[in-house]
Amino acid sequence: MATGYGPGLEHGYGLGQGRPAGTGHRLPAALRAPFEGRSWREFGYVLLSLPVSIVLFTWAVTMVALGAGLLVTFLGVPVLAAALAGCRGFGGLERARARGLLRLDVPDPEPLRTRGPGAMAWMGAVLKSGASWRHLAYAVVQFPWAVFSFSVALSFWTVGWTLLSYPLWFWVFPAYAGTGGVQLYGDQHHSVYLDNPFEITVTALVGLLFTLVTPWLVRALTTVDGLLVRGLLGPSTLSARVVELESDRGVVVDTAAADLRRIERDLHDGAQARLVGLAMDLGLAKEKLREDPRAAARMVEEAHGEVKTALQELRDLARGIHPAVLTDRGLDAALSAVASRCTVPVRVEVDLPARPAPAIEGIAYYTVSELLQNVSKHSGARSASVDVWRSDDRLMLRVADDGVGGADAARGSGLAGLAGRLDAVDGLLLVESPAGGPTQVVAELPWRPAA
């Protein structure tokens, strides 16, 4: 199985990878926030939430109340179905609004599963869909939250910018209102106006404080909006898990098909070709046995060498399918055998209280085997190490070397394929390989004890 840290050294070990240009800002985040596009997008989202929530809440409450009242007749069923379908339609608009303003990409929920054609099947699918009822819950819950967030955000934003800009417009009061400035306090006996330089400066500083705090307050409010959108308008945890398992099943099927093609190719190009040649050589030796016994003996001796070579190729192929040492003696002995074939010295340490399930044990073996092949081919290392241990319900693997680094699983390399295989069994692959080294690859697999 051809693997590597990249399609050639340029995508794996061997080349230093420069860091991207810095994106630092001279101003700290607290001072930049009021002027950043993200803050204005989030503020716009909060402002739009109120009118949108009013429409959505009105639709949901009106249609559900009408449908519930008509349930004594058959008309209540289609009205309820229409109410839920309308909420699903509004949910699509809300996901688009969150995607555009909050940069929150929420996937569509699971589609309706109708059991047949016709309006009755469609209404049954809408009423039985959990996503439809979650959309209805969003329509009801989002309205009071939108009122609260709209009031808080608009109040803080307006007060902040109004007070901050007070030195620019306080002259309006003495010029047109006959007062020295904004009245801070007043009763029948005396009044307090913000009209001297000190009070104007303090007012502007208070406005600056409100202006700096408001974007973070709005961000906290939109975080709750994001949770509502993701939790009620996105796919359920169960459906997302089903999609993930279907994807993992496809990866497993593709991997198994690729392994079968590799085995077929190795048999056809290797041992099978040698056996065919061996049969032809033995046939020629049989014909020359009476005419030239010495030549026949020489041909038999050559055929004997071909038999040894073919047997070695078959042993290597069998080891690639499933090594006998793994079945007989477990991971410690099998990984030690793999390490002995590596081009650099490898320290192997396996600390397991018991043997894992055969399937997990096989995946762990092949993971370490492929990583050590990468070390041999691409790392330029002087030494490497393999550690295997159990942590709670996870089987942990770590392969480290002191090579040149630069391994990256995000470049479509053999590491990406290995990560896909681990993901198919709820595993995880983490690569830490800065340019110049060293490299450390950690793999996690679910722990399942052997029967």
Side-chain angles (χ1 to χ4, degrees):
M1 185 175 302
T3 59
Y5 286 90
L9 293 181
E10 68 276 8
H11 284 174
Y13 287 106
L15 290 180
Q17 299 174 359
R19 294 182 179 180
T23 57
H25 295 273
R26 294 183 179 180
L27 290 177
L31 298 179
R32 295 196 318 267
F35 309 99
E36 288 182 332
R38 175 181 177 181
S39 299
W40 289 97
R41 289 196 309 270
E42 292 172 340
F43 184 57
Y45 183 91
V46 172
L47 294 183
L48 285 176
S49 292
L50 182 61
V52 170
S53 65
I54 292 175
V55 175
L56 183 53
F57 182 82
T58 303
W59 165 268
V61 172
T62 303
M63 293 297 291
V64 170
L66 179 61
L70 292 175
L71 279 179
V72 293
T73 66
F74 180 75
L75 293 177
V77 175
V79 172
L80 281 178
L84 296 178
C87 290
R88 290 179 70 108
F90 280 114
L93 295 177
E94 286 293 272
R95 288 190 297 272
R97 189 165 67 96
R99 189 179 302 114
L101 296 178
L102 301 183
R103 301 296 189 261
L104 180 64
D105 191 8
V106 178
D108 295 338
E110 57 273 17
L112 295 177
R113 300 181 181 273
T114 57
R115 295 186 176 181
M120 292 298 298
W122 177 82
M123 287 187 291
V126 171
L127 293 173
K128 292 179 181 179
S129 173
S132 301
W133 294 100
R134 290 199 306 273
H135 281 68
L136 176 62
Y138 176 85
V140 175
V141 172
Q142 201 248 355
F143 173 67
W145 173 252
V147 173
F148 172 78
S149 59
F150 178 90
S151 304
V152 172
L154 186 61
S155 299
F156 271 77
W157 203 282
T158 304
V159 169
W161 284 103
T162 300
L163 296 182
L164 180 61
S165 61
Y166 183 63
L168 302 178
W169 55 270
F170 82 95
W171 56 268
V172 172
F173 292 92
Y176 298 100
T179 60
V182 173
Q183 185 176 1
L184 185 62
Y185 172 79
D187 55 22
Q188 297 179 352
H189 303 288
H190 64 279
S191 301
V192 177
Y193 294 93
L194 302 175
D195 53 3
N196 61 62
F198 175 75
E199 293 173 345
I200 294 174
T201 302
V202 171
T203 302
L205 291 177
V206 172
L208 178 61
L209 179 62
F210 270 80
T211 303
L212 295 178
V213 169
T214 299
W216 304 100
L217 178 62
V218 173
R219 191 159 301 174
L221 296 174
T222 54
T223 300
V224 177
D225 284 298
L227 293 176
L228 290 175
V229 173
R230 189 181 297 277
L232 296 177
L233 301 184
S236 65
T237 304
L238 179 60
S239 64
R241 181 60 176 165
V242 170
V243 172
E244 181 183 356
L245 291 177
E246 289 177 349
S247 175
D248 292 345
R249 181 182 62 184
V251 172
V252 171
V253 171
D254 293 341
T255 301
D259 289 341
L260 288 176
R261 290 193 297 269
R262 176 182 60 83
I263 295 171
E264 180 183 7
R265 182 179 63 251
D266 292 344
L267 284 173
H268 183 272
D269 298 340
Q272 181 179 347
R274 290 188 181 277
L275 291 175
V276 171
L278 175 63
M280 295 175 62
D281 292 342
L282 289 177
L284 294 175
K286 180 179 179 181
E287 293 178 357
K288 286 184 173 291
L289 184 60
R290 294 181 181 179
E291 301 175 0
D292 191 352
R294 291 184 178 179
R298 186 170 60 254
M299 295 178 68
V300 170
E301 184 177 356
E302 293 176 355
H304 184 255
E306 288 291 321
V307 169
K308 291 183 178 179
T309 304
L311 287 175
Q312 183 60 42
E313 290 182 351
L314 289 174
R315 289 193 191 99
D316 294 339
L317 182 61
R319 186 184 296 114
I321 298 174
H322 193 85
V325 65
L326 179 63
T327 303
D328 297 337
R329 300 174 58 189
L331 272 176
D332 196 355
L335 295 182
S336 298
V338 172
S340 66
R341 298 193 296 269
C342 190
T343 58
V344 300
V346 181
R347 175 188 61 81
V348 178
E349 183 174 345
V350 179
D351 183 15
L352 295 177
R355 293 184 62 174
I360 300 299
E361 194 174 53
I363 295 175
Y365 170 82
Y366 290 117
T367 299
V368 175
S369 178
E370 292 190 19
L371 291 175
L372 289 181
Q373 286 183 25
N374 291 333
V375 171
S376 298
K377 295 177 182 178
H378 307 301
S379 69
R382 294 185 300 273
S383 63
S385 62
V386 176
D387 296 283
V388 182
W389 72 98
R390 178 184 175 184
S391 177
D392 296 329
D393 60 345
R394 306 292 284 180
L395 175 62
M396 308 295 296
L397 315 170
R398 180 172 59 219
V399 178
D401 65 73
D402 58 359
V404 296
D408 188 0
R411 298 186 175 222
S413 63
L415 283 176
L418 192 58
R421 291 190 175 199
L422 293 175
D423 185 63
V425 292
D426 288 339
L428 183 65
L429 186 74
L430 302 174
V431 180
E432 182 181 352
S433 182
T439 295
Q440 178 175 271
V441 182
V442 177
E444 293 187 18
L445 287 166
W447 174 267
R448 299 169 189 165

